[in-house]
Amino acid sequence: MTILMYVFLAIGAVFNGLGAVALHRFPDVYTRLHGATKCTTFGSIFSVLAVVVYGAMRGGPVGMNMVIRAALALVFLLLTNPTGSHALARAAHRAGIKPFKAVVDRLEEVGK
Amino acid sequence: MIVEISLAVAAAVLLAYVLVCALRLAIGPTVADRAVAVDTINTLIVAIMILVGAAFDLVVIMDVALVYALLSFVGTLYVARYLEEGLK
Amino acid sequence: MLACFARSLYTFRAVRRVAEVAATFAIAFSVYLVLTAFSGGIGLWSLEELIGGAVVSFLVALASRRLLWERGGWRLLNPIRWFVFLVYLLGPFLLAMAKANLDVAYRVITGRINPGIVRFNPGLRTDAGRTMLANSITLTPGTLTVEVDDETGDFYVHWINVRNVDPKPEEVCGAFPNWAKVVAE
């Protein structure tokens, strides 16, 4: 169980770092959203899963409370993160930011 | 003991990533870039709060993290709305 | 005849409203109970938490029942759908998410991108199905939902590596529309 927790912590740290680096490596808003959303959601989910495992190992009322709260936080992250990034992408497109070096832009052609 | 320390170390690592994102928040050429950076930082902060709560045995911080997750989502939606239409 | 019809319509609406409030109350109260477990002696809860939670949940139910059950929300209360959703989350979705992260890692290291915004129509009709598919698309390899057309159901997706300018749904998101249909429609 302890080893499982360490593995989850390591995965979380690595992928969260990947998300932070992706913010600097990509050229425009949309590609940055790609990296930031996917990697931080995946990484945070594994960080929170590590806490779930820790609470289950600890046991007792405090440990179970930790498990409950971490699991709820996991659900919230999974629900709100992609929705927020979708809102940001749509707003950026409506504000007139063009995708960098786009091969095709169907949304621009519709004219919304 | 060592388990709690490892959780705290993971939280510290995520805090370093927050600084990296804050760099993008400072230099980001457009408003949308900054909004993306804030969104990323919010997600990281939720994970940090959960880890810190587990490391220092404070369930209260986890409650704060839950409320923070939902409120930061609402904040992101408002920033997106402002980007779309300007201040109204 | 007409008056009778009107009266039955009225009772139907009243029953429906009560059912909506009751369902919202049940959901809100169960979340409250989960969050305040291990607080006292009645079962796992103390009396104060039970009363306070019931009052707050009832107020929330009165305020938010309109938002939840408007367009086909009742279908989501089916436990079989929950089970399919769980299978989906732990199976194809988790796999696609892991693949998406490795894909981002590859692109961060090499910096090789070929982006564009493409359009396709997966043929979903309900809000819940569209939301589920849009979120799944955002978290899976190389795609990010930018806009969903409310009337036609067209998805506009930012694709980081465009292979086909006019793609079919399967090329962008695999079998996800079918899962969304089973779970939410």
Side-chain angles (χ1 to χ4, degrees):
Chain A
M1 284 290 261
T2 321
I3 295 186
L4 189 68
M5 197 199 81
Y6 287 140
V7 169
F8 281 171
L9 277 182
I11 294 177
V14 167
F15 282 105
N16 273 325
L18 197 63
V21 173
L23 272 183
H24 291 271
R25 276 287 289 170
F26 283 144
D28 74 332
V29 183
Y30 304 102
T31 42
R32 273 173 203 152
L33 263 177
H34 270 283
T37 310
K38 288 185 185 79
C39 293
T40 51
T41 308
F42 196 67
S44 302
I45 281 176
F46 273 93
S47 296
V48 172
L49 268 181
V51 176
V52 171
V53 174
Y54 171 75
M57 275 196 308
R58 199 166 182 281
V62 178
M64 287 325 285
N65 264 330
M66 281 181 182
V67 171
I68 290 169
R69 275 144 180 86
L72 263 182
L74 203 155
V75 173
F76 288 161
L77 281 178
L78 203 56
L79 274 180
T80 60
N81 240 343
T83 316
S85 85
H86 162 62
L88 278 178
R90 195 176 86 142
H93 201 279
R94 289 202 178 171
I97 299 171
K98 299 267 183 299
F100 176 77
K101 280 207 292 191
V103 186
V104 58
D105 191 346
R106 294 283 178 216
L107 192 52
E108 187 70 39
E109 290 162 18
V110 179
K112 275 200 175 173
Chain B
M1 191 62 213
I2 191 98
V3 176
E4 280 84 3
I5 290 178
S6 71
L7 285 169
V9 167
V13 170
L14 294 198
L15 205 58
Y17 296 153
V18 168
L19 292 182
V20 175
C21 295
L23 200 62
R24 173 54 68 192
L25 182 62
I27 62 177
T30 65
V31 184
D33 283 311
R34 297 196 165 111
V36 173
V38 169
D39 195 33
T40 313
I41 289 177
N42 282 334
T43 311
L44 288 175
I45 292 282
V46 173
I48 289 173
M49 277 183 182
I50 298 270
L51 286 174
V52 167
F56 294 97
D57 235 10
L58 294 168
V59 179
V60 184
I61 294 189
M62 295 192 176
D63 288 329
V64 178
L66 286 179
V67 177
Y68 188 89
L70 292 179
L71 281 184
S72 75
F73 172 61
V74 176
T76 305
L77 288 190
Y78 265 92
V79 171
R81 198 159 179 79
Y82 161 66
L83 272 176
E84 249 174 57
E85 304 172 354
L87 279 178
K88 270 187 185 172
Chain C
M1 176 66 198
L2 201 64
C4 176
F5 178 71
R7 199 178 304 136
S8 69
L9 194 67
Y10 179 77
T11 38
F12 174 71
R13 281 209 183 125
V15 167
R16 188 189 157 136
R17 191 171 303 158
V18 170
E20 282 174 349
V21 170
T24 322
F25 173 80
I27 294 172
F29 194 48
S30 54
V31 171
Y32 192 93
L33 287 185
V34 164
L35 271 178
T36 55
F38 305 107
S39 61
I42 310 171
L44 293 173
W45 298 275
S46 63
L47 187 62
E48 295 90 346
E49 294 285 11
L50 285 176
I51 295 173
V55 170
V56 172
S57 314
F58 186 66
L59 291 180
V60 168
L62 282 185
S64 68
R65 64 157 179 99
R66 265 164 209 275
L67 303 174
L68 276 178
W69 312 110
E70 241 176 17
R71 283 199 258 175
W74 286 110
R75 277 180 225 143
L76 300 182
L77 287 182
N78 184 348
I80 299 173
R81 289 177 194 273
W82 300 349
F83 179 72
V84 176
F85 185 58
L86 211 63
V87 170
Y88 167 74
L89 268 190
L90 295 178
F93 182 71
L94 196 66
L95 197 72
M97 236 173 116
K99 237 191 274 174
N101 281 275
L102 297 178
D103 180 70
V104 168
Y106 167 75
R107 287 184 203 289
V108 163
I109 292 166
T110 61
R112 199 173 297 161
I113 55 173
N114 180 26
I117 295 180
V118 296
R119 173 181 53 196
F120 65 92
N121 194 335
L124 297 173
R125 285 183 311 280
T126 60
D127 283 354
R130 284 176 187 169
T131 311
M132 183 182 149
L133 182 62
N135 282 4
S136 302
I137 285 176
T138 298
L139 290 176
T140 50
T143 47
L144 177 78
T145 315
V146 176
E147 172 88 274
V148 179
D149 196 318
D150 257 343
E151 280 102 44
T152 59
D154 282 344
F155 275 58
Y156 295 87
V157 169
H158 184 272
W159 201 3
I160 209 166
N161 184 21
V162 177
R163 273 168 299 200
N164 184 351
V165 178
D166 286 305
K168 295 216 167 49
E170 301 85 52
E171 289 177 67
V172 180
C173 49
F176 287 167
N178 301 331
W179 283 97
K181 258 175 212 160
V182 172
V183 172
E185 296 211 339

